[in-house]
Amino acid sequence: TFNWTADDQRAVDTVRVLAADAVEKVGNGHPGTAMSLAPAAYLLFQKVMRLDPKNPDWMGRDRFILSPGHTSLTLYIQLFLSGYGLELKDLEALRTWGSLTPGHPEYKHTKGVEITTGPLGQGLASAVGFAYSQRRMRGLMDPDAAPGTSPFDHTVWVIASDGDLQEGVTSEASSLAGHQELGNMVVIYDSNHISIEDDTNIAYSEDVLKRYEAYGWHTQRVDWTKTGEYVEDAAELYTALEAAKAETSKPSIVLLRTIIGYPSPKKQNTGGIHGSALGSAEVAALKTELGFDPEKHFDVDPAILAHARKVIDRGAQARAEWTTGFNAWKSANPDNAALLERIEKKELPAGWEAQLPTFQAGKDVSTRAASGKVLNAIGGVLPELWGGSCDLAGSNNTTIEGFGSFVPASKQTDTWSGTPYGRVLHFGIREHAAAAIVNGIHLGGPTRAFSGTFLIFSDYQRPAIRLSALMGVPSIYVWTHDSIGLGEDGPTHQPVEQLATLRAIPGLDVVRPGDPNEVAAAWKKILETTDNPAGIVLTRQNIPTYARGTGTATATEFGSTDGVAKGGYVLAEAVSDGAVVTPAVILIATGSEVQLAMEAREALAADGIAARVVSMPCVEWFHAQTSEYREQILPAAVKARVSVEAGLALGWREFVGDAGRSISLEHFGASADYKRLFQEFGITTEAVTAAARESLAAAGA
Amino acid sequence: TFNWTADDQRAVDTVRVLAADAVEKVGNGHPGTAMSLAPAAYLLFQKVMRLDPKNPDWMGRDRFILSPGHTSLTLYIQLFLSGYGLELKDLEALRTWGSLTPGHPEYKHTKGVEITTGPLGQGLASAVGFAYSQRRMRGLMDPDAAPGTSPFDHTVWVIASDGDLQEGVTSEASSLAGHQELGNMVVIYDSNHISIEDDTNIAYSEDVLKRYEAYGWHTQRVDWTKTGEYVEDAAELYTALEAAKAETSKPSIVLLRTIIGYPSPKKQNTGGIHGSALGSAEVAALKTELGFDPEKHFDVDPAILAHARKVIDRGAQARAEWTTGFNAWKSANPDNAALLERIEKKELPAGWEAQLPTFQAGKDVSTRAASGKVLNAIGGVLPELWGGSCDLAGSNNTTIEGFGSFVPASKQTDTWSGTPYGRVLHFGIREHAAAAIVNGIHLGGPTRAFSGTFLIFSDYQRPAIRLSALMGVPSIYVWTHDSIGLGEDGPTHQPVEQLATLRAIPGLDVVRPGDPNEVAAAWKKILETTDNPAGIVLTRQNIPTYARGTGTATATEFGSTDGVAKGGYVLAEAVSDGAVVTPAVILIATGSEVQLAMEAREALAADGIAARVVSMPCVEWFHAQTSEYREQILPAAVKARVSVEAGLALGWREFVGDAGRSISLEHFGASADYKRLFQEFGITTEAVTAAARESLAAAGA
């Protein structure tokens, strides 16, 4: 039964004056929605969500996602009132260096923040991934429990704004949420009709709820302006949220009509209150309006704070109840409990790497095909690993066979069987949502997930990729068709700048294996990495599989794939008269261009030039090695160097230096057979050989 | 009155066998939709669209956009049948080096191709820009004509696929199209229920037409499967298209239910026919099914070709009729006719640059504010220039005042008045659509348009930016808040890698002016550039305005802004004892970091080190200069060099060389006052000075 006391109302009003005070103090920020969303946020934290403020990482908690990150105060003030650890001094430090209250909420920075939000649309889109995560975890751990009875049941709550609803990434993700019938998520859409250019009607007049009905969502409207006066009817919203939660066959959206900045006397309902301090006079007027002392700042009645923090006790009780059920589940499901314990610790099972396939030397295989073989070889021992493609499953080789698709039964097709608890994801032609959803999967629970598409379409995913790197979540991107090597589809589909621009994202590992066995080693390292994202970049076309020794390269054997995890290693040594020698020139290559370096090495050897080939599958991993290791691979004294990559030279100058040369592609591609393209664009063994000679000349000069 | 003869049907069937033959010959490609869309495409080219195949650039033509570029044969075969210049030999050369028929249609490459398509969603999204362009041109040239009577009236026709409809960018653009009530566009949505992962139901189950109703579109359904048999009822589709065209108060979408690959006996309605050759047996079976000789390839009945090419005569007649009206308009509107002639020639008006403002030296101004002043100063003399922001008008300074917004009257707000013919664009919070629409504006007509957002959100726009560069259309991007200099909004909003990653796009000019007067010079060069896109990158914070001489830098005067158009120039010379000397060190900086280089130059001078400051607002423009000019600015003999930019060093190594140093930011930003951030992250005058000393030491070593 719903209960809303005078203390609750006073707490909500306290939120508003704190929001105004915090922005006023720093002089900038976003007070408007923090004020008008105060009742909704308070309702969620105090009356609706299952949470335990003292255990913000409790697995059984409901998840809360504030998609409009600019209204971070909406979250920070609830974290303060609910006792998550934020205190008044933190609110006073809003948007200042080193504070726990940065301009936008940051994951891993402030307790209770489930996700970094700010770029609009990302929060709501990733929320769909949180909901995927919940369903998959339930399917892994407790599939037979009756609805609502499992310790793995929880609800994903989202606040979204007009801006979130306008961004295309939420359209993609919301279509998938409806398709997936995600009954475990509820969105409060704060429809306040104001954005930065003021009245949203200037750019936004669609019928949002009708659109969400078209996606298959459950829709409700709560209009606090419907009487002509603005009445914040918390009970009405509560009823709608409970109805939304009760609807477990589809996702729910509640359109909440609010007035931004209410009850600021002069600035409510204006674009001005969205992103600017109110000014001292208006802050004072607001306080007077709400019965607060206009002379006092950050003034919180201890009784009200104590009232709000009773949620700590309720949370402890909720967690205790949940723990009883959880312990019962553990006893009844020891194998699953062990699995849960392992993946919660982000550990891989002992000996898992024995499942990694070895590819036979001498056979040409595309690295995408090798990647598919790896995924299927390890799929059995790593149940936490799942993923799929953006309508390119067969091209991306991203299907782990034998476990079914993650879809409602009614949406199986002749090609794909599945269940709501399945393992193969189908994102449709929605690359951006795929990346955002995979982020949400990692944020929402302990599974590992990947999305697949062509490398060129990483451009569609960049905002979500950047957030994965900023947050430090281990999202995995499988990007195939990684160069002009894809051939006839032509320049719209051929990556040129993408390798360089992805490497440019701080914290993203970009891994481009040079042969099938490097693929297996790359997957190993990617899966062992748990605190940052990685993309694996794969060929469409077949490339050679090298015969390797078991250790570092020698005069007669190529280096083993142990070097892959170090980012760059000597694949083939500089040899003269049957002995390893200091290289005259170093050829650095990635992916399908390793073969060109290898052939050039032989051609140079025929002319008595001892060239070393360094395979550099991951620049980021290489940079993480000791300077001694790096010096060993790329001795400073060897100035003659050539990089070979079928993409921009951008970034390689650091490796090859002033005397170096880069075999690269500095313009868009073309539509033709790939062998013709490599030839026409001068990415050939002969070009590498010539560049090596040029570099030798330059280094000697 | 609609007429569909046996010859028409034979022509349509000829399309199908040609599609199968063309893919079979090259061995790869996308035959399926080229076969099933044959009736729709033939209908458009032969019975619906106003076109003149011998004058594919005729201003009065209807525009046709094939959003699913992979089915390029759908277009190529109509261009062949209609006599645009493609012949059988071109179809035989499909997807091969140098052909006029690359894998995806390429703008400026093949006559009759209005836009390069391939990355799904971009075509439909840019089509909205085509429609904007038509309306704006009508408003500029012939606003008082009755509907349908103006030579500036035409219709934008689009074929879109399941993939296009799933991409978020089309959701954004379609919402805007409905909002703008674009009665001049008609979309045929090819709903064939098949994509690469086969039955689309695995990932796509929304009610698309309901969604488009929610956007405010006119919707119709033409279901050729409705009888249980597949009946390609051309008359039914024709009636729907005419009804769609007649609906001039809103955009129209016609859902056309087709069977992909029809009537391929064994492969129709399968994912296999989407993107693979049919195989010779199936091609033969198809021909037999349609009454063609299975032994013959690329076999076109001359009578059928002649029948189809009668469209040339009809087109000539249509153009003649149009020309009569156009000439009448010219006589009646000499001023507008002169304007049209000028902008069709891509010329700027004589003396326009006199309107460019000069900013007073010594005053600190943000470059975004300077940009806003430039736009408003030239807005009066350049009526072809228009644009607006993604809900950040006041922050981006993108509003040209005094001409009203481009919106239906019913969607004006208290803040923005406007008309359907207005000049200020409001994209809402839809950055990707903004970029795609601006591309479409440039493709659809001779106006120049810009979109504005924060630099960080260029990540949302990359697929459309890349296409503008690939196509060589002069889209303009205004990107403000260009570094950690935006301050408190923190890392989600602070660009770090964006400057480098945008420069990485071949053919995109990235322009980051170093003071307000550089802004004016930058806009001049950008507007003079008509065959490639440019982004202007602007500060939020105020920066100094330099006092400059009238020519190149001297011992006592800074260089004029004439150097801006050359991309890099000497802003301040190396001076010793009152005379210009060979620099000991060169400091290269852009944007807000020019001031750090200038201050460092003074600090170094105090120690007797003569430093030159090179302002480098546009690396691409600099690379386009002669080697003599570049040597003059950056003499090879001066090895001590420092680059200064509040972003990645990536790309600067080429300029500074092995002995150089880069003052840069190699990690994400933080939320705090911007001055604090520059200090904490070591982007300071002191750091530049120290780096100069280090570089001097390295160069001397």
Side-chain angles (χ1 to χ4, degrees):
Chain A
T1 62
F2 182 68
N3 182 26
W4 189 264
T5 66
D7 281 353
D8 289 324
Q9 187 59 46
R10 188 66 174 170
V12 166
D13 291 339
T14 300
V15 173
R16 302 189 221 262
V17 297
L18 284 175
D21 275 344
V23 174
E24 200 65 21
K25 178 161 193 287
V26 66
N28 54 72
H30 300 81
T33 41
M35 292 165 63
S36 44
L37 281 173
Y42 182 83
L43 191 63
L44 284 172
F45 275 80
Q46 293 281 330
K47 317 266 179 187
V48 173
M49 294 199 294
R50 182 168 69 189
L51 50 80
D52 177 1
K54 293 304 170 201
N55 290 278
D57 298 328
W58 167 35
M59 199 183 77
R61 74 195 182 280
D62 283 353
R63 271 57 166 181
F64 173 69
I65 290 143
L66 181 71
S67 196
H70 57 266
T71 181
S72 54
L73 280 169
T74 295
L75 176 54
Y76 294 151
I77 298 175
Q78 294 305 323
L79 295 180
F80 160 62
L81 286 180
S82 303
Y84 276 80
L86 286 188
E87 298 299 344
L88 276 180
K89 69 176 165 36
D90 301 304
L91 300 180
E92 293 181 43
L94 180 74
R95 295 165 68 91
T96 59
W97 178 260
S99 81
L100 288 173
T101 50
H104 293 79
E106 295 179 18
Y107 179 66
K108 292 185 183 174
H109 183 79
T110 309
K111 279 182 193 168
V113 173
E114 301 273 6
I115 176 174
T116 299
T117 49
L120 288 170
Q122 298 295 328
L124 175 51
S126 286
V128 176
F130 277 77
Y132 276 42
S133 176
Q134 185 277 325
R135 193 168 87 193
R136 173 72 182 155
M137 279 296 287
R138 189 188 210 277
L140 269 180
M141 298 294 168
D142 201 16
D144 300 325
T149 66
S150 169
F152 297 92
D153 288 333
H154 64 254
T155 303
V156 179
W157 301 92
V158 184
I159 288 179
S161 64
D162 286 312
D164 293 299
L165 275 286
Q166 290 176 62
E167 291 285 359
V169 66
T170 62
S171 297
E172 293 177 14
S174 297
S175 178
L176 279 168
H179 175 77
Q180 288 284 0
E181 304 170 9
L182 298 176
N184 56 350
M185 73 180 284
V186 180
V187 176
I188 299 176
Y189 162 34
D190 176 37
S191 173
N192 63 39
H193 292 211
I194 293 289
S195 58
I196 295 178
E197 293 187 12
D198 212 80
D199 185 342
T200 53
N201 199 45
I202 195 68
Y204 184 49
S205 54
E206 64 175 68
D207 182 339
V208 173
L209 287 190
K210 186 170 181 177
R211 174 156 68 93
Y212 272 75
E213 278 171 26
Y215 294 140
W217 286 51
H218 173 247
T219 68
Q220 297 177 84
R221 183 183 302 269
V222 174
D223 185 351
W224 284 347
T225 69
K226 65 177 181 290
T227 62
E229 308 253 306
Y230 189 60
V231 181
E232 291 178 326
D233 187 339
E236 182 188 12
L237 179 58
Y238 178 81
T239 303
L241 295 178
E242 290 298 311
K245 185 176 171 183
E247 172 54 78
T248 56
S249 71
K250 51 178 74 172
S252 278
I253 184 167
V254 179
L255 184 155
L256 176 64
R257 175 65 169 106
T258 63
I259 290 181
I260 191 171
Y262 175 86
S264 163
K266 290 194 179 151
K267 297 200 170 171
Q268 62 174 279
N269 207 24
T270 67
I273 206 163
H274 167 92
S276 303
L278 277 68
S280 57
E282 186 70 3
V283 174
L286 171 73
K287 289 177 182 172
T288 302
E289 173 80 25
L290 292 172
F292 285 71
D293 183 343
E295 301 296 316
K296 290 188 178 167
H297 307 298
F298 297 97
D299 181 38
V300 177
D301 180 343
I304 293 300
L305 184 59
H307 172 73
R309 290 200 172 170
K310 285 183 203 151
V311 71
I312 295 172
D313 296 333
R314 297 195 299 273
Q317 191 184 334
R319 195 166 74 92
E321 285 165 15
W322 176 90
T323 302
T324 304
F326 180 65
N327 288 337
W329 169 83
K330 276 207 287 196
S331 305
N333 298 276
D335 291 350
N336 284 353
L339 172 61
L340 178 66
E341 189 182 350
R342 175 174 69 73
I343 66 177
E344 287 263 294
K345 285 194 286 187
K346 303 186 178 188
E347 288 178 359
L348 294 165
W352 75 282
E353 63 271 22
Q355 302 301 318
L356 287 166
T358 303
F359 296 90
Q360 191 189 330
K363 202 176 158 195
D364 285 7
V365 180
S366 69
T367 52
R368 64 174 167 142
S371 175
K373 287 217 164 59
V374 171
L375 285 173
N376 278 282
I378 61 178
V381 294
L382 298 182
E384 70 268 36
L385 182 64
W386 58 315
S389 172
C390 302
D391 194 46
L392 293 166
S395 298
N396 296 148
N397 298 69
T398 40
T399 304
I400 301 179
E401 306 281 356
F403 302 88
S405 293
F406 181 84
V407 277
S410 65
K411 283 147 183 173
Q412 300 176 90
T413 66
D414 290 348
T415 310
W416 303 97
S417 62
T419 73
Y421 294 152
R423 188 166 185 179
V424 179
L425 291 169
H426 302 275
F427 296 108
I429 301 148
R430 305 184 185 92
E431 299 83 6
H432 197 176
I437 286 171
V438 167
N439 286 350
I441 288 172
H442 287 102
L443 291 159
T447 65
R448 288 296 295 272
F450 56 86
S451 65
T453 187
F454 290 160
L455 178 59
I456 192 73
F457 300 133
S458 65
D459 275 5
Y460 279 82
Q461 305 178 303
R462 279 188 78 89
I465 299 169
R466 186 179 207 260
L467 273 179
S468 69
L470 178 58
M471 291 188 285
V473 294
S475 298
I476 303 171
Y477 309 96
V478 179
W479 290 313
T480 71
H481 295 60
D482 69 352
S483 77
I484 50 168
L486 65 86
E488 292 85 351
D489 273 343
T492 60
H493 281 54
Q494 290 163 352
V496 173
E497 72 277 25
Q498 279 67 28
L499 282 166
T501 57
L502 289 167
R503 288 182 187 128
I505 298 176
L508 174 69
D509 295 338
V510 179
V511 192
R512 189 171 187 241
D515 87 342
N517 285 309
E518 281 198 12
V519 173
W523 268 111
K524 178 171 183 289
K525 170 84 171 179
I526 289 170
L527 291 169
E528 287 168 351
T529 302
T530 59
D531 55 0
N532 64 267
I536 185 162
V537 177
L538 303 164
T539 67
R540 175 190 187 221
Q541 73 275 26
N542 290 341
I543 63 172
T545 307
Y546 294 103
R548 296 164 182 267
T550 55
T552 53
T554 68
T556 54
E557 287 190 327
F558 297 153
S560 80
T561 58
D562 291 349
V564 169
K566 295 184 170 158
Y569 69 101
V570 179
L571 173 59
E573 262 300 6
V575 175
S576 186
D577 293 333
V580 171
V581 296
T582 299
V585 58
I586 302 175
L587 311 177
I588 311 168
T590 77
S592 49
E593 287 69 68
V594 168
Q595 63 187 304
L596 304 182
M598 294 292 273
E599 291 167 4
R601 170 176 168 274
E602 302 217 347
L604 291 164
D607 282 357
I609 300 170
R612 165 185 285 189
V613 173
V614 171
S615 178
M616 184 74 78
C618 182
V619 168
E620 295 78 18
W621 294 345
F622 187 70
H623 283 314
Q625 303 309 310
T626 61
S627 56
E628 291 72 21
Y629 179 81
R630 285 179 281 133
E631 168 66 18
Q632 192 182 318
I633 305 303
L634 299 174
V638 183
K639 301 282 187 203
R641 300 180 181 193
V642 179
S643 69
V644 199
E645 189 170 80
L648 295 183
L650 183 66
W652 289 108
R653 181 66 180 266
E654 284 179 67
F655 288 97
V656 301
D658 287 359
R661 295 292 182 268
S662 289
I663 299 299
S664 67
L665 185 66
E666 302 297 326
H667 51 75
F668 293 114
S671 172
D673 169 68
Y674 79 90
K675 291 180 181 172
R676 179 76 183 259
L677 294 176
F678 276 95
Q679 202 67 42
E680 295 283 350
F681 295 149
I683 303 174
T684 61
T685 301
E686 297 69 36
V688 178
T689 311
R693 292 179 196 281
E694 275 184 47
S695 184
L696 279 161
Chain B
T1 62
F2 182 69
N3 183 26
W4 188 265
T5 67
D7 281 353
D8 290 323
Q9 187 59 47
R10 190 66 174 170
V12 165
D13 289 340
T14 301
V15 172
R16 303 189 221 262
V17 296
L18 284 174
D21 275 345
V23 173
E24 200 65 20
K25 179 161 192 287
V26 67
N28 53 73
H30 301 80
T33 41
M35 292 165 64
S36 45
L37 281 173
Y42 182 83
L43 192 63
L44 283 173
F45 275 80
Q46 293 280 330
K47 317 266 180 187
V48 173
M49 292 198 294
R50 182 168 68 189
L51 50 80
D52 177 2
K54 293 304 170 198
N55 291 278
D57 297 329
W58 167 34
M59 198 183 79
R61 74 192 183 282
D62 283 353
R63 270 59 165 180
F64 173 68
I65 290 143
L66 181 71
S67 198
H70 57 267
T71 182
S72 55
L73 281 168
T74 295
L75 177 55
Y76 295 151
I77 300 176
Q78 294 305 324
L79 295 179
F80 160 62
L81 286 181
S82 304
Y84 275 81
L86 286 188
E87 298 299 343
L88 276 179
K89 68 173 167 40
D90 300 306
L91 299 182
E92 293 180 41
L94 180 75
R95 297 166 67 92
T96 59
W97 177 260
S99 81
L100 288 173
T101 49
H104 293 80
E106 294 180 16
Y107 179 66
K108 293 185 182 173
H109 183 79
T110 310
K111 279 182 192 167
V113 173
E114 301 274 7
I115 176 174
T116 299
T117 49
L120 288 171
Q122 298 294 327
L124 174 51
S126 286
V128 176
F130 276 78
Y132 275 42
S133 176
Q134 185 278 325
R135 192 168 88 192
R136 172 72 182 157
M137 279 295 288
R138 191 189 209 279
L140 269 179
M141 297 296 168
D142 201 16
D144 300 326
T149 67
S150 169
F152 297 92
D153 288 333
H154 65 253
T155 302
V156 178
W157 301 92
V158 184
I159 289 179
S161 64
D162 286 311
D164 293 300
L165 274 286
Q166 290 175 62
E167 290 286 0
V169 65
T170 62
S171 297
E172 295 178 11
S174 298
S175 178
L176 279 168
H179 175 77
Q180 288 285 358
E181 304 169 10
L182 298 176
N184 56 350
M185 74 180 286
V186 180
V187 176
I188 299 176
Y189 162 36
D190 176 35
S191 173
N192 62 38
H193 292 214
I194 294 289
S195 58
I196 295 178
E197 292 187 11
D198 213 80
D199 185 341
T200 53
N201 199 46
I202 195 67
Y204 184 49
S205 54
E206 63 174 69
D207 181 341
V208 174
L209 287 191
K210 185 171 182 177
R211 174 156 68 92
Y212 272 76
E213 278 170 27
Y215 294 142
W217 288 51
H218 173 246
T219 68
Q220 299 177 81
R221 185 184 301 268
V222 173
D223 185 351
W224 284 348
T225 69
K226 66 176 178 293
T227 64
E229 307 255 306
Y230 189 59
V231 181
E232 291 179 326
D233 186 339
E236 183 188 10
L237 179 58
Y238 179 81
T239 303
L241 294 179
E242 290 298 311
K245 185 177 170 180
E247 172 56 77
T248 57
S249 71
K250 52 178 74 169
S252 278
I253 185 167
V254 179
L255 183 155
L256 176 64
R257 175 66 168 103
T258 63
I259 291 182
I260 192 171
Y262 176 85
S264 166
K266 291 193 180 154
K267 297 202 170 171
Q268 61 176 281
N269 207 26
T270 67
I273 205 162
H274 167 93
S276 302
L278 277 67
S280 58
E282 185 71 3
V283 173
L286 171 72
K287 288 177 182 171
T288 304
E289 172 81 24
L290 292 172
F292 285 71
D293 183 344
E295 301 296 316
K296 290 189 177 165
H297 306 296
F298 297 99
D299 181 38
V300 176
D301 180 344
I304 294 300
L305 184 60
H307 171 72
R309 287 199 175 170
K310 285 184 202 151
V311 71
I312 295 172
D313 296 333
R314 296 196 299 274
Q317 192 184 334
R319 195 168 73 93
E321 285 166 14
W322 176 91
T323 303
T324 304
F326 180 65
N327 288 337
W329 169 83
K330 277 208 286 196
S331 304
N333 298 277
D335 290 351
N336 283 357
L339 171 61
L340 178 63
E341 189 181 350
R342 174 174 71 73
I343 65 178
E344 288 264 294
K345 286 193 287 189
K346 302 187 178 185
E347 288 178 359
L348 294 164
W352 76 280
E353 63 271 23
Q355 302 301 319
L356 287 166
T358 305
F359 296 90
Q360 192 190 331
K363 201 176 158 195
D364 286 6
V365 180
S366 70
T367 52
R368 65 176 168 140
S371 175
K373 289 217 161 60
V374 169
L375 285 173
N376 278 283
I378 62 180
V381 295
L382 299 182
E384 70 268 35
L385 181 65
W386 58 315
S389 171
C390 302
D391 195 46
L392 291 167
S395 298
N396 296 149
N397 299 69
T398 40
T399 304
I400 300 179
E401 305 281 356
F403 301 88
S405 292
F406 180 84
V407 275
S410 65
K411 283 146 183 174
Q412 301 176 89
T413 65
D414 290 347
T415 310
W416 304 97
S417 61
T419 73
Y421 295 152
R423 188 168 186 178
V424 178
L425 291 169
H426 302 275
F427 297 106
I429 300 146
R430 305 182 185 94
E431 300 82 6
H432 197 176
I437 286 171
V438 167
N439 287 350
I441 289 172
H442 287 102
L443 292 160
T447 65
R448 288 297 296 274
F450 56 86
S451 66
T453 188
F454 291 159
L455 178 59
I456 193 73
F457 300 133
S458 64
D459 275 4
Y460 279 81
Q461 305 178 302
R462 279 187 78 90
I465 298 169
R466 186 178 207 260
L467 273 179
S468 68
L470 178 58
M471 292 189 284
V473 294
S475 299
I476 303 170
Y477 309 95
V478 179
W479 290 313
T480 72
H481 295 58
D482 69 352
S483 76
I484 51 168
L486 66 84
E488 291 85 352
D489 273 343
T492 59
H493 282 56
Q494 290 163 353
V496 173
E497 71 276 26
Q498 279 66 27
L499 282 166
T501 58
L502 289 166
R503 288 181 188 129
I505 298 177
L508 173 69
D509 296 337
V510 179
V511 191
R512 188 171 188 240
D515 86 343
N517 286 308
E518 282 198 12
V519 173
W523 268 110
K524 176 170 184 291
K525 170 86 171 179
I526 290 170
L527 290 169
E528 287 168 351
T529 302
T530 59
D531 55 0
N532 65 266
I536 186 164
V537 177
L538 304 164
T539 67
R540 175 188 188 223
Q541 74 275 27
N542 290 340
I543 62 172
T545 308
Y546 293 103
R548 295 165 183 266
T550 55
T552 51
T554 68
T556 54
E557 286 190 329
F558 297 154
S560 79
T561 57
D562 290 350
V564 170
K566 294 183 170 159
Y569 69 101
V570 179
L571 173 58
E573 264 298 6
V575 175
S576 185
D577 294 333
V580 171
V581 296
T582 300
V585 58
I586 301 175
L587 311 176
I588 310 168
T590 78
S592 50
E593 287 69 70
V594 168
Q595 62 188 303
L596 303 183
M598 293 293 271
E599 290 166 4
R601 172 177 168 273
E602 301 216 349
L604 291 164
D607 281 356
I609 300 170
R612 167 186 284 188
V613 172
V614 171
S615 177
M616 184 74 79
C618 181
V619 168
E620 295 79 18
W621 296 344
F622 187 71
H623 283 314
Q625 303 308 310
T626 62
S627 57
E628 291 72 22
Y629 178 80
R630 285 179 280 133
E631 168 65 18
Q632 193 181 315
I633 304 304
L634 299 175
V638 183
K639 301 281 188 204
R641 300 179 181 193
V642 178
S643 70
V644 198
E645 189 169 81
L648 295 183
L650 183 66
W652 289 109
R653 180 67 180 264
E654 286 180 65
F655 288 97
V656 302
D658 287 358
R661 295 293 182 270
S662 289
I663 299 299
S664 68
L665 185 65
E666 304 296 326
H667 52 75
F668 293 114
S671 172
D673 170 68
Y674 79 90
K675 292 180 180 171
R676 179 78 183 259
L677 293 177
F678 276 94
Q679 202 67 42
E680 295 282 349
F681 295 149
I683 304 174
T684 61
T685 301
E686 296 67 37
V688 178
T689 311
R693 293 180 195 282
E694 274 185 50
S695 184
L696 278 162

